[in-house]
Amino acid sequence: QIPESNPVMRTRVTDGRNGFSFSTPNGWRAQSDAPGKRISLQKGDSQTMISMRFATEAMPATAEQFKAHALRKIAGAKVLEEFAASSGGGKGLGIDVAHAVSGVPLITRLVVFPGVSGSVEVSLAAPPQEFESLHIAWTGFINSFRIEPAK
């Protein structure tokens, strides 16, 4: 807690081997999918969502392998940008892609970080007209994101 400010609430998630924690952006609500090992944060009633998922597979060793993984995972995706990703607690790989879901255009930022066992995928999906305006919310979220061993 920072003096003269609101308390910062952190959410901690574990699957028994891996764990991660993060701060939820103001105005976003959390949903969980335990069987899918996924946590999602949704911005109000919009289609904008941040999702985090434990993956059993190791983080791809190269940017090319990650790009191939992302293009298999997101049907019909067109690569907009590839980048080195960092969070408040580690380094990973990232890619932005344009695609459509049920005819609705979206831009998805997919990043992957090594876990204690396997990896952790984090994504931001939003309509193109909202994507750039989410930079501050994404930066605050990803800077708060920490991968931790399960306790």
Side-chain angles (χ1 to χ4, degrees), residues 48-83:
T48 300
M49 189 169 291
I50 294 173
S51 296
M52 296 140 283
R53 180 182 79 87
F54 291 111
T56 55
E57 61 274 5
M59 182 177 119
T62 67
E64 260 323 292
Q65 289 174 346
F66 180 57
K67 177 181 173 180
H69 165 78
L71 293 175
R72 278 191 308 274
K73 182 179 179 96
I74 304 171
K78 176 186 170 204
V79 175
L80 301 175
E81 183 178 5
E82 298 175 65
F83 52 93

PDB file of all heavy atoms in Angstrom, residues 48-83:
ATOM      1  N   THR A  48     -13.733  -6.296 -25.201  1.00  0.00           N
ATOM      2  CA  THR A  48     -12.330  -6.212 -24.827  1.00  0.00           C
ATOM      3  C   THR A  48     -12.051  -7.135 -23.648  1.00  0.00           C
ATOM      4  O   THR A  48     -12.748  -7.082 -22.642  1.00  0.00           O
ATOM      5  CB  THR A  48     -11.972  -4.758 -24.474  1.00  0.00           C
ATOM      6  OG1 THR A  48     -12.218  -3.957 -25.629  1.00  0.00           O
ATOM      7  CG2 THR A  48     -10.536  -4.628 -24.053  1.00  0.00           C
ATOM      8  N   MET A  49     -11.013  -7.967 -23.790  1.00  0.00           N
ATOM      9  CA  MET A  49     -10.733  -8.959 -22.770  1.00  0.00           C
ATOM     10  C   MET A  49      -9.237  -9.210 -22.649  1.00  0.00           C
ATOM     11  O   MET A  49      -8.524  -9.225 -23.646  1.00  0.00           O
ATOM     12  CB  MET A  49     -11.451 -10.263 -23.119  1.00  0.00           C
ATOM     13  CG  MET A  49     -11.400 -11.295 -22.035  1.00  0.00           C
ATOM     14  SD  MET A  49     -12.514 -12.674 -22.371  1.00  0.00           S
ATOM     15  CE  MET A  49     -14.092 -11.878 -22.185  1.00  0.00           C
ATOM     16  N   ILE A  50      -8.778  -9.402 -21.409  1.00  0.00           N
ATOM     17  CA  ILE A  50      -7.435  -9.895 -21.125  1.00  0.00           C
ATOM     18  C   ILE A  50      -7.631 -11.304 -20.581  1.00  0.00           C
ATOM     19  O   ILE A  50      -8.447 -11.520 -19.687  1.00  0.00           O
ATOM     20  CB  ILE A  50      -6.705  -9.026 -20.082  1.00  0.00           C
ATOM     21  CG1 ILE A  50      -6.436  -7.623 -20.636  1.00  0.00           C
ATOM     22  CG2 ILE A  50      -5.398  -9.694 -19.647  1.00  0.00           C
ATOM     23  CD1 ILE A  50      -5.862  -6.645 -19.610  1.00  0.00           C
ATOM     24  N   SER A  51      -6.898 -12.275 -21.116  1.00  0.00           N
ATOM     25  CA  SER A  51      -6.986 -13.654 -20.651  1.00  0.00           C
ATOM     26  C   SER A  51      -5.605 -14.161 -20.281  1.00  0.00           C
ATOM     27  O   SER A  51      -4.613 -13.797 -20.917  1.00  0.00           O
ATOM     28  CB  SER A  51      -7.557 -14.574 -21.740  1.00  0.00           C
ATOM     29  OG  SER A  51      -8.872 -14.219 -22.050  1.00  0.00           O
ATOM     30  N   MET A  52      -5.566 -15.010 -19.259  1.00  0.00           N
ATOM     31  CA  MET A  52      -4.333 -15.655 -18.826  1.00  0.00           C
ATOM     32  C   MET A  52      -4.601 -17.149 -18.754  1.00  0.00           C
ATOM     33  O   MET A  52      -5.645 -17.561 -18.268  1.00  0.00           O
ATOM     34  CB  MET A  52      -3.909 -15.153 -17.447  1.00  0.00           C
ATOM     35  CG  MET A  52      -3.568 -13.671 -17.442  1.00  0.00           C
ATOM     36  SD  MET A  52      -4.156 -12.822 -15.962  1.00  0.00           S
ATOM     37  CE  MET A  52      -5.897 -12.649 -16.297  1.00  0.00           C
ATOM     38  N   ARG A  53      -3.654 -17.951 -19.255  1.00  0.00           N
ATOM     39  CA  ARG A  53      -3.851 -19.400 -19.285  1.00  0.00           C
ATOM     40  C   ARG A  53      -2.552 -20.120 -18.956  1.00  0.00           C
ATOM     41  O   ARG A  53      -1.495 -19.781 -19.478  1.00  0.00           O
ATOM     42  CB  ARG A  53      -4.327 -19.823 -20.677  1.00  0.00           C
ATOM     43  CG  ARG A  53      -4.568 -21.301 -20.837  1.00  0.00           C
ATOM     44  CD  ARG A  53      -4.990 -21.654 -22.252  1.00  0.00           C
ATOM     45  NE  ARG A  53      -3.878 -21.702 -23.178  1.00  0.00           N
ATOM     46  CZ  ARG A  53      -3.121 -22.781 -23.397  1.00  0.00           C
ATOM     47  NH1 ARG A  53      -3.331 -23.889 -22.736  1.00  0.00           N
ATOM     48  NH2 ARG A  53      -2.152 -22.735 -24.279  1.00  0.00           N
ATOM     49  N   PHE A  54      -2.650 -21.120 -18.072  1.00  0.00           N
ATOM     50  CA  PHE A  54      -1.528 -22.015 -17.831  1.00  0.00           C
ATOM     51  C   PHE A  54      -1.431 -22.969 -19.008  1.00  0.00           C
ATOM     52  O   PHE A  54      -2.429 -23.576 -19.403  1.00  0.00           O
ATOM     53  CB  PHE A  54      -1.743 -22.849 -16.561  1.00  0.00           C
ATOM     54  CG  PHE A  54      -1.693 -22.070 -15.281  1.00  0.00           C
ATOM     55  CD1 PHE A  54      -2.838 -21.880 -14.536  1.00  0.00           C
ATOM     56  CD2 PHE A  54      -0.506 -21.539 -14.823  1.00  0.00           C
ATOM     57  CE1 PHE A  54      -2.807 -21.191 -13.338  1.00  0.00           C
ATOM     58  CE2 PHE A  54      -0.458 -20.832 -13.629  1.00  0.00           C
ATOM     59  CZ  PHE A  54      -1.608 -20.659 -12.885  1.00  0.00           C
ATOM     60  N   ALA A  55      -0.251 -23.126 -19.582  1.00  0.00           N
ATOM     61  CA  ALA A  55      -0.043 -24.060 -20.686  1.00  0.00           C
ATOM     62  C   ALA A  55       0.925 -25.148 -20.226  1.00  0.00           C
ATOM     63  O   ALA A  55       1.903 -24.846 -19.540  1.00  0.00           O
ATOM     64  CB  ALA A  55       0.517 -23.327 -21.904  1.00  0.00           C
ATOM     65  N   THR A  56       0.641 -26.386 -20.585  1.00  0.00           N
ATOM     66  CA  THR A  56       1.523 -27.477 -20.176  1.00  0.00           C
ATOM     67  C   THR A  56       2.798 -27.501 -21.008  1.00  0.00           C
ATOM     68  O   THR A  56       3.828 -27.984 -20.546  1.00  0.00           O
ATOM     69  CB  THR A  56       0.808 -28.837 -20.287  1.00  0.00           C
ATOM     70  OG1 THR A  56       0.315 -28.986 -21.611  1.00  0.00           O
ATOM     71  CG2 THR A  56      -0.337 -28.929 -19.294  1.00  0.00           C
ATOM     72  N   GLU A  57       2.725 -26.967 -22.232  1.00  0.00           N
ATOM     73  CA  GLU A  57       3.915 -26.961 -23.082  1.00  0.00           C
ATOM     74  C   GLU A  57       4.866 -25.840 -22.657  1.00  0.00           C
ATOM     75  O   GLU A  57       4.442 -24.813 -22.151  1.00  0.00           O
ATOM     76  CB  GLU A  57       3.553 -26.836 -24.564  1.00  0.00           C
ATOM     77  CG  GLU A  57       2.813 -25.582 -24.950  1.00  0.00           C
ATOM     78  CD  GLU A  57       1.296 -25.650 -24.792  1.00  0.00           C
ATOM     79  OE1 GLU A  57       0.751 -26.636 -24.298  1.00  0.00           O
ATOM     80  OE2 GLU A  57       0.651 -24.644 -25.158  1.00  0.00           O
ATOM     81  N   ALA A  58       6.154 -26.080 -22.884  1.00  0.00           N
ATOM     82  CA  ALA A  58       7.173 -25.078 -22.562  1.00  0.00           C
ATOM     83  C   ALA A  58       7.022 -23.879 -23.488  1.00  0.00           C
ATOM     84  O   ALA A  58       6.442 -23.978 -24.574  1.00  0.00           O
ATOM     85  CB  ALA A  58       8.571 -25.672 -22.716  1.00  0.00           C
ATOM     86  N   MET A  59       7.536 -22.741 -23.054  1.00  0.00           N
ATOM     87  CA  MET A  59       7.531 -21.546 -23.894  1.00  0.00           C
ATOM     88  C   MET A  59       8.331 -21.838 -25.166  1.00  0.00           C
ATOM     89  O   MET A  59       9.395 -22.456 -25.088  1.00  0.00           O
ATOM     90  CB  MET A  59       8.169 -20.384 -23.128  1.00  0.00           C
ATOM     91  CG  MET A  59       8.167 -19.084 -23.894  1.00  0.00           C
ATOM     92  SD  MET A  59       8.862 -17.757 -22.888  1.00  0.00           S
ATOM     93  CE  MET A  59      10.248 -17.310 -23.900  1.00  0.00           C
ATOM     94  N   PRO A  60       7.829 -21.445 -26.343  1.00  0.00           N
ATOM     95  CA  PRO A  60       8.606 -21.653 -27.570  1.00  0.00           C
ATOM     96  C   PRO A  60      10.004 -21.053 -27.430  1.00  0.00           C
ATOM     97  O   PRO A  60      10.185 -19.985 -26.844  1.00  0.00           O
ATOM     98  CB  PRO A  60       7.791 -20.921 -28.642  1.00  0.00           C
ATOM     99  CG  PRO A  60       6.392 -20.917 -28.100  1.00  0.00           C
ATOM    100  CD  PRO A  60       6.550 -20.790 -26.606  1.00  0.00           C
ATOM    101  N   ALA A  61      10.996 -21.772 -27.985  1.00  0.00           N
ATOM    102  CA  ALA A  61      12.388 -21.364 -27.825  1.00  0.00           C
ATOM    103  C   ALA A  61      12.760 -20.151 -28.672  1.00  0.00           C
ATOM    104  O   ALA A  61      13.671 -19.407 -28.327  1.00  0.00           O
ATOM    105  CB  ALA A  61      13.314 -22.536 -28.167  1.00  0.00           C
ATOM    106  N   THR A  62      12.038 -19.939 -29.785  1.00  0.00           N
ATOM    107  CA  THR A  62      12.377 -18.836 -30.679  1.00  0.00           C
ATOM    108  C   THR A  62      11.127 -18.040 -31.046  1.00  0.00           C
ATOM    109  O   THR A  62      10.005 -18.534 -30.924  1.00  0.00           O
ATOM    110  CB  THR A  62      13.009 -19.355 -31.991  1.00  0.00           C
ATOM    111  OG1 THR A  62      12.013 -20.074 -32.724  1.00  0.00           O
ATOM    112  CG2 THR A  62      14.224 -20.242 -31.725  1.00  0.00           C
ATOM    113  N   ALA A  63      11.351 -16.840 -31.543  1.00  0.00           N
ATOM    114  CA  ALA A  63      10.245 -15.995 -31.997  1.00  0.00           C
ATOM    115  C   ALA A  63       9.516 -16.660 -33.172  1.00  0.00           C
ATOM    116  O   ALA A  63       8.294 -16.566 -33.277  1.00  0.00           O
ATOM    117  CB  ALA A  63      10.763 -14.613 -32.386  1.00  0.00           C
ATOM    118  N   GLU A  64      10.244 -17.355 -34.048  1.00  0.00           N
ATOM    119  CA  GLU A  64       9.614 -18.028 -35.191  1.00  0.00           C
ATOM    120  C   GLU A  64       8.688 -19.143 -34.724  1.00  0.00           C
ATOM    121  O   GLU A  64       7.596 -19.316 -35.253  1.00  0.00           O
ATOM    122  CB  GLU A  64      10.671 -18.619 -36.130  1.00  0.00           C
ATOM    123  CG  GLU A  64      11.009 -17.837 -37.365  1.00  0.00           C
ATOM    124  CD  GLU A  64       9.871 -17.115 -38.066  1.00  0.00           C
ATOM    125  OE1 GLU A  64       8.973 -17.769 -38.633  1.00  0.00           O
ATOM    126  OE2 GLU A  64       9.889 -15.883 -38.090  1.00  0.00           O
ATOM    127  N   GLN A  65       9.116 -19.908 -33.716  1.00  0.00           N
ATOM    128  CA  GLN A  65       8.262 -20.972 -33.173  1.00  0.00           C
ATOM    129  C   GLN A  65       7.013 -20.373 -32.528  1.00  0.00           C
ATOM    130  O   GLN A  65       5.920 -20.921 -32.653  1.00  0.00           O
ATOM    131  CB  GLN A  65       9.035 -21.811 -32.154  1.00  0.00           C
ATOM    132  CG  GLN A  65      10.096 -22.688 -32.768  1.00  0.00           C
ATOM    133  CD  GLN A  65      10.931 -23.384 -31.705  1.00  0.00           C
ATOM    134  OE1 GLN A  65      10.919 -23.044 -30.527  1.00  0.00           O
ATOM    135  NE2 GLN A  65      11.686 -24.387 -32.148  1.00  0.00           N
ATOM    136  N   PHE A  66       7.181 -19.250 -31.831  1.00  0.00           N
ATOM    137  CA  PHE A  66       6.031 -18.613 -31.192  1.00  0.00           C
ATOM    138  C   PHE A  66       5.058 -18.083 -32.244  1.00  0.00           C
ATOM    139  O   PHE A  66       3.847 -18.216 -32.108  1.00  0.00           O
ATOM    140  CB  PHE A  66       6.481 -17.503 -30.246  1.00  0.00           C
ATOM    141  CG  PHE A  66       5.332 -16.823 -29.554  1.00  0.00           C
ATOM    142  CD1 PHE A  66       4.431 -17.543 -28.785  1.00  0.00           C
ATOM    143  CD2 PHE A  66       5.137 -15.461 -29.680  1.00  0.00           C
ATOM    144  CE1 PHE A  66       3.362 -16.921 -28.150  1.00  0.00           C
ATOM    145  CE2 PHE A  66       4.075 -14.829 -29.050  1.00  0.00           C
ATOM    146  CZ  PHE A  66       3.185 -15.565 -28.286  1.00  0.00           C
ATOM    147  N   LYS A  67       5.585 -17.481 -33.302  1.00  0.00           N
ATOM    148  CA  LYS A  67       4.740 -16.984 -34.388  1.00  0.00           C
ATOM    149  C   LYS A  67       3.925 -18.135 -34.989  1.00  0.00           C
ATOM    150  O   LYS A  67       2.713 -18.006 -35.183  1.00  0.00           O
ATOM    151  CB  LYS A  67       5.615 -16.330 -35.456  1.00  0.00           C
ATOM    152  CG  LYS A  67       4.856 -15.828 -36.667  1.00  0.00           C
ATOM    153  CD  LYS A  67       5.840 -15.216 -37.655  1.00  0.00           C
ATOM    154  CE  LYS A  67       5.211 -14.846 -38.959  1.00  0.00           C
ATOM    155  NZ  LYS A  67       6.202 -14.254 -39.884  1.00  0.00           N
ATOM    156  N   ALA A  68       4.568 -19.271 -35.257  1.00  0.00           N
ATOM    157  CA  ALA A  68       3.860 -20.427 -35.804  1.00  0.00           C
ATOM    158  C   ALA A  68       2.778 -20.893 -34.827  1.00  0.00           C
ATOM    159  O   ALA A  68       1.654 -21.214 -35.238  1.00  0.00           O
ATOM    160  CB  ALA A  68       4.845 -21.560 -36.103  1.00  0.00           C
ATOM    161  N   HIS A  69       3.074 -20.910 -33.536  1.00  0.00           N
ATOM    162  CA  HIS A  69       2.099 -21.292 -32.502  1.00  0.00           C
ATOM    163  C   HIS A  69       0.899 -20.335 -32.526  1.00  0.00           C
ATOM    164  O   HIS A  69      -0.254 -20.773 -32.499  1.00  0.00           O
ATOM    165  CB  HIS A  69       2.774 -21.283 -31.129  1.00  0.00           C
ATOM    166  CG  HIS A  69       1.827 -21.309 -29.980  1.00  0.00           C
ATOM    167  ND1 HIS A  69       1.198 -22.464 -29.562  1.00  0.00           N
ATOM    168  CD2 HIS A  69       1.395 -20.330 -29.152  1.00  0.00           C
ATOM    169  CE1 HIS A  69       0.411 -22.187 -28.533  1.00  0.00           C
ATOM    170  NE2 HIS A  69       0.519 -20.905 -28.264  1.00  0.00           N
ATOM    171  N   ALA A  70       1.173 -19.040 -32.556  1.00  0.00           N
ATOM    172  CA  ALA A  70       0.102 -18.035 -32.542  1.00  0.00           C
ATOM    173  C   ALA A  70      -0.789 -18.167 -33.771  1.00  0.00           C
ATOM    174  O   ALA A  70      -2.017 -18.076 -33.677  1.00  0.00           O
ATOM    175  CB  ALA A  70       0.689 -16.633 -32.455  1.00  0.00           C
ATOM    176  N   LEU A  71      -0.188 -18.408 -34.937  1.00  0.00           N
ATOM    177  CA  LEU A  71      -0.972 -18.518 -36.171  1.00  0.00           C
ATOM    178  C   LEU A  71      -1.796 -19.803 -36.214  1.00  0.00           C
ATOM    179  O   LEU A  71      -2.864 -19.839 -36.820  1.00  0.00           O
ATOM    180  CB  LEU A  71      -0.062 -18.392 -37.394  1.00  0.00           C
ATOM    181  CG  LEU A  71       0.565 -17.002 -37.570  1.00  0.00           C
ATOM    182  CD1 LEU A  71       1.551 -16.992 -38.726  1.00  0.00           C
ATOM    183  CD2 LEU A  71      -0.497 -15.925 -37.730  1.00  0.00           C
ATOM    184  N   ARG A  72      -1.329 -20.867 -35.545  1.00  0.00           N
ATOM    185  CA  ARG A  72      -2.140 -22.086 -35.411  1.00  0.00           C
ATOM    186  C   ARG A  72      -3.292 -21.852 -34.438  1.00  0.00           C
ATOM    187  O   ARG A  72      -4.401 -22.327 -34.644  1.00  0.00           O
ATOM    188  CB  ARG A  72      -1.281 -23.248 -34.897  1.00  0.00           C
ATOM    189  CG  ARG A  72      -0.463 -23.955 -35.941  1.00  0.00           C
ATOM    190  CD  ARG A  72       0.134 -25.248 -35.416  1.00  0.00           C
ATOM    191  NE  ARG A  72       0.862 -25.112 -34.168  1.00  0.00           N
ATOM    192  CZ  ARG A  72       2.134 -24.774 -34.054  1.00  0.00           C
ATOM    193  NH1 ARG A  72       2.847 -24.520 -35.130  1.00  0.00           N
ATOM    194  NH2 ARG A  72       2.711 -24.696 -32.873  1.00  0.00           N
ATOM    195  N   LYS A  73      -3.030 -21.121 -33.387  1.00  0.00           N
ATOM    196  CA  LYS A  73      -4.015 -20.897 -32.320  1.00  0.00           C
ATOM    197  C   LYS A  73      -5.138 -19.952 -32.763  1.00  0.00           C
ATOM    198  O   LYS A  73      -6.288 -20.135 -32.384  1.00  0.00           O
ATOM    199  CB  LYS A  73      -3.284 -20.323 -31.104  1.00  0.00           C
ATOM    200  CG  LYS A  73      -4.139 -20.068 -29.906  1.00  0.00           C
ATOM    201  CD  LYS A  73      -3.284 -19.516 -28.772  1.00  0.00           C
ATOM    202  CE  LYS A  73      -4.102 -19.228 -27.581  1.00  0.00           C
ATOM    203  NZ  LYS A  73      -4.112 -20.281 -26.600  1.00  0.00           N
ATOM    204  N   ILE A  74      -4.799 -18.929 -33.544  1.00  0.00           N
ATOM    205  CA  ILE A  74      -5.768 -17.896 -33.936  1.00  0.00           C
ATOM    206  C   ILE A  74      -6.009 -18.018 -35.445  1.00  0.00           C
ATOM    207  O   ILE A  74      -5.216 -17.533 -36.255  1.00  0.00           O
ATOM    208  CB  ILE A  74      -5.266 -16.484 -33.547  1.00  0.00           C
ATOM    209  CG1 ILE A  74      -4.962 -16.427 -32.049  1.00  0.00           C
ATOM    210  CG2 ILE A  74      -6.292 -15.433 -33.942  1.00  0.00           C
ATOM    211  CD1 ILE A  74      -4.268 -15.159 -31.592  1.00  0.00           C
ATOM    212  N   ALA A  75      -7.105 -18.656 -35.790  1.00  0.00           N
ATOM    213  CA  ALA A  75      -7.419 -18.937 -37.194  1.00  0.00           C
ATOM    214  C   ALA A  75      -7.528 -17.653 -38.019  1.00  0.00           C
ATOM    215  O   ALA A  75      -8.148 -16.687 -37.591  1.00  0.00           O
ATOM    216  CB  ALA A  75      -8.724 -19.718 -37.287  1.00  0.00           C
ATOM    217  N   GLY A  76      -6.917 -17.677 -39.201  1.00  0.00           N
ATOM    218  CA  GLY A  76      -7.027 -16.557 -40.132  1.00  0.00           C
ATOM    219  C   GLY A  76      -6.286 -15.307 -39.706  1.00  0.00           C
ATOM    220  O   GLY A  76      -6.542 -14.227 -40.249  1.00  0.00           O
ATOM    221  N   ALA A  77      -5.371 -15.420 -38.745  1.00  0.00           N
ATOM    222  CA  ALA A  77      -4.678 -14.241 -38.225  1.00  0.00           C
ATOM    223  C   ALA A  77      -3.643 -13.693 -39.204  1.00  0.00           C
ATOM    224  O   ALA A  77      -2.987 -14.442 -39.920  1.00  0.00           O
ATOM    225  CB  ALA A  77      -3.997 -14.578 -36.902  1.00  0.00           C
ATOM    226  N   LYS A  78      -3.526 -12.361 -39.218  1.00  0.00           N
ATOM    227  CA  LYS A  78      -2.508 -11.656 -39.999  1.00  0.00           C
ATOM    228  C   LYS A  78      -1.575 -10.974 -39.003  1.00  0.00           C
ATOM    229  O   LYS A  78      -2.032 -10.211 -38.136  1.00  0.00           O
ATOM    230  CB  LYS A  78      -3.154 -10.612 -40.895  1.00  0.00           C
ATOM    231  CG  LYS A  78      -2.158  -9.781 -41.658  1.00  0.00           C
ATOM    232  CD  LYS A  78      -2.845  -8.664 -42.431  1.00  0.00           C
ATOM    233  CE  LYS A  78      -1.793  -7.732 -42.980  1.00  0.00           C
ATOM    234  NZ  LYS A  78      -2.316  -6.398 -43.220  1.00  0.00           N
ATOM    235  N   VAL A  79      -0.285 -11.248 -39.101  1.00  0.00           N
ATOM    236  CA  VAL A  79       0.690 -10.691 -38.160  1.00  0.00           C
ATOM    237  C   VAL A  79       0.838  -9.190 -38.383  1.00  0.00           C
ATOM    238  O   VAL A  79       1.061  -8.732 -39.501  1.00  0.00           O
ATOM    239  CB  VAL A  79       2.061 -11.385 -38.307  1.00  0.00           C
ATOM    240  CG1 VAL A  79       3.099 -10.724 -37.413  1.00  0.00           C
ATOM    241  CG2 VAL A  79       1.941 -12.862 -37.999  1.00  0.00           C
ATOM    242  N   LEU A  80       0.689  -8.429 -37.297  1.00  0.00           N
ATOM    243  CA  LEU A  80       0.885  -6.982 -37.342  1.00  0.00           C
ATOM    244  C   LEU A  80       2.269  -6.596 -36.803  1.00  0.00           C
ATOM    245  O   LEU A  80       2.901  -5.694 -37.326  1.00  0.00           O
ATOM    246  CB  LEU A  80      -0.188  -6.272 -36.517  1.00  0.00           C
ATOM    247  CG  LEU A  80      -1.633  -6.519 -36.947  1.00  0.00           C
ATOM    248  CD1 LEU A  80      -2.601  -5.862 -35.964  1.00  0.00           C
ATOM    249  CD2 LEU A  80      -1.858  -5.999 -38.359  1.00  0.00           C
ATOM    250  N   GLU A  81       2.690  -7.281 -35.726  1.00  0.00           N
ATOM    251  CA  GLU A  81       3.967  -6.947 -35.094  1.00  0.00           C
ATOM    252  C   GLU A  81       4.422  -8.108 -34.225  1.00  0.00           C
ATOM    253  O   GLU A  81       3.601  -8.780 -33.595  1.00  0.00           O
ATOM    254  CB  GLU A  81       3.802  -5.693 -34.223  1.00  0.00           C
ATOM    255  CG  GLU A  81       5.069  -5.219 -33.574  1.00  0.00           C
ATOM    256  CD  GLU A  81       4.903  -3.939 -32.761  1.00  0.00           C
ATOM    257  OE1 GLU A  81       3.770  -3.455 -32.609  1.00  0.00           O
ATOM    258  OE2 GLU A  81       5.917  -3.448 -32.269  1.00  0.00           O
ATOM    259  N   GLU A  82       5.731  -8.343 -34.193  1.00  0.00           N
ATOM    260  CA  GLU A  82       6.347  -9.312 -33.286  1.00  0.00           C
ATOM    261  C   GLU A  82       7.293  -8.535 -32.381  1.00  0.00           C
ATOM    262  O   GLU A  82       7.923  -7.572 -32.825  1.00  0.00           O
ATOM    263  CB  GLU A  82       7.135 -10.357 -34.068  1.00  0.00           C
ATOM    264  CG  GLU A  82       6.275 -11.183 -35.013  1.00  0.00           C
ATOM    265  CD  GLU A  82       7.117 -12.115 -35.858  1.00  0.00           C
ATOM    266  OE1 GLU A  82       7.749 -13.020 -35.295  1.00  0.00           O
ATOM    267  OE2 GLU A  82       7.136 -11.910 -37.091  1.00  0.00           O
ATOM    268  N   PHE A  83       7.409  -8.946 -31.119  1.00  0.00           N
ATOM    269  CA  PHE A  83       8.233  -8.178 -30.178  1.00  0.00           C
ATOM    270  C   PHE A  83       8.666  -9.033 -29.002  1.00  0.00           C
ATOM    271  O   PHE A  83       8.077 -10.083 -28.721  1.00  0.00           O
ATOM    272  CB  PHE A  83       7.458  -6.952 -29.677  1.00  0.00           C
ATOM    273  CG  PHE A  83       6.084  -7.272 -29.138  1.00  0.00           C
ATOM    274  CD1 PHE A  83       5.884  -7.518 -27.792  1.00  0.00           C
ATOM    275  CD2 PHE A  83       4.989  -7.327 -29.991  1.00  0.00           C
ATOM    276  CE1 PHE A  83       4.625  -7.818 -27.299  1.00  0.00           C
ATOM    277  CE2 PHE A  83       3.721  -7.609 -29.510  1.00  0.00           C
ATOM    278  CZ  PHE A  83       3.533  -7.868 -28.151  1.00  0.00           C
TER     279      PHE A  83
END
